Amino acid sequence: MAKEKEQKQPLPPVAEWAPALALSWLVPGGGHLLLKRTGRGLLLMAAITSMFVCGLMMRGAMFQPESGDLLTTLINTGGFIGDVASGILYLLSQWLGYSQPDVAGAVHDYGTKFLVTAGLLNILAMVDAFDIAVRRKD
Amino acid sequence: MPKMTLSHFEASMLFSLFTSVVLGVVTKRTDRDRLHYGIYTFVCFFAALFGLGWLMYFGHG
């Protein structure tokens, strides 16, 4: 009952939660730091950044959106969204010229998955920062 | 950027560790629950890793 009431509350103004959400995308854990959840923010930052850096060190490939058959489109577009979701980590790696072709090998493959998963975990962190900003969560 | 070469086991353990930390932090509402959930998720990853490893070993005969 209390949960239903909580869910029906209108969203606070965009200005209250948008900065936390945007910073959360740009800097993993940044939204939590902005909302004064320092411990959680630092943990998220450490985990997501470490995962992304491990992916780079394993020479994982970045996805580029591609059209073609449904599976190719889904995999490449989904992978691209996962990569971009890492925010500044992705942007920095592109600006600094990271370009790894998709080559065969278990380590490269793990690297690619690490890069995408870092972005997907950052999406979870963004949702959590949003929930905190709109006071659905402490 | 130095190159990192890991075994399947090491890569899986690193993956489990980072994922468990994030899942623990974002899922629960109290620090105690977060810690418990993070450890629980890590143990689940670990169990799945060993379970699937043995399954593949016996599957290959």
Side-chain angles (χ1 to χ4, degrees), chain A residues 40 43-44 47-48 50-51 54 56-59 106-107 110 114 117 121 124 128 136-137, chain B residues 1-6 8 11-12 14-15 18-19 21-23 25-29 34:
Chain A
R40 278 188 268 166
L43 270 176
L44 290 171
I48 294 169
S50 302
M51 191 164 216
C54 285
L56 291 181
M57 287 166 72
M58 287 189 253
R59 302 289 187 266
V107 178
Y110 272 114
F114 269 57
T117 309
L121 293 177
L124 288 181
D128 194 51
R136 285 183 192 156
K137 216 175 164 185
Chain B
M1 177 81 62
K3 191 171 181 185
M4 185 189 252
T5 304
L6 300 175
H8 285 281
S12 306
L14 267 184
F15 184 95
F18 298 141
T19 309
V21 169
V22 175
L23 289 178
V25 169
V26 303
T27 309
K28 301 292 178 182
R29 287 176 184 266
R34 287 185 189 109

Side-chain angles (χ1 to χ4, degrees), chain A residues 116-138:
Chain A
V116 173
T117 309
L120 297 180
L121 293 177
N122 198 33
I123 292 176
L124 288 181
M126 287 165 66
V127 173
D128 194 51
F130 173 79
D131 279 344
I132 295 169
V134 299
R135 297 181 206 89
R136 285 183 192 156
K137 216 175 164 185
D138 287 333

Side-chain angles (χ1 to χ4, degrees), chain B residues 30-52:
Chain B
T30 65
D31 285 343
R32 188 187 166 82
D33 287 348
R34 287 185 189 109
L35 179 66
H36 284 176
Y37 191 70
I39 293 171
Y40 170 76
T41 318
F42 185 73
V43 170
C44 286
F45 271 122
F46 203 79
L49 189 62
F50 272 91
L52 290 173

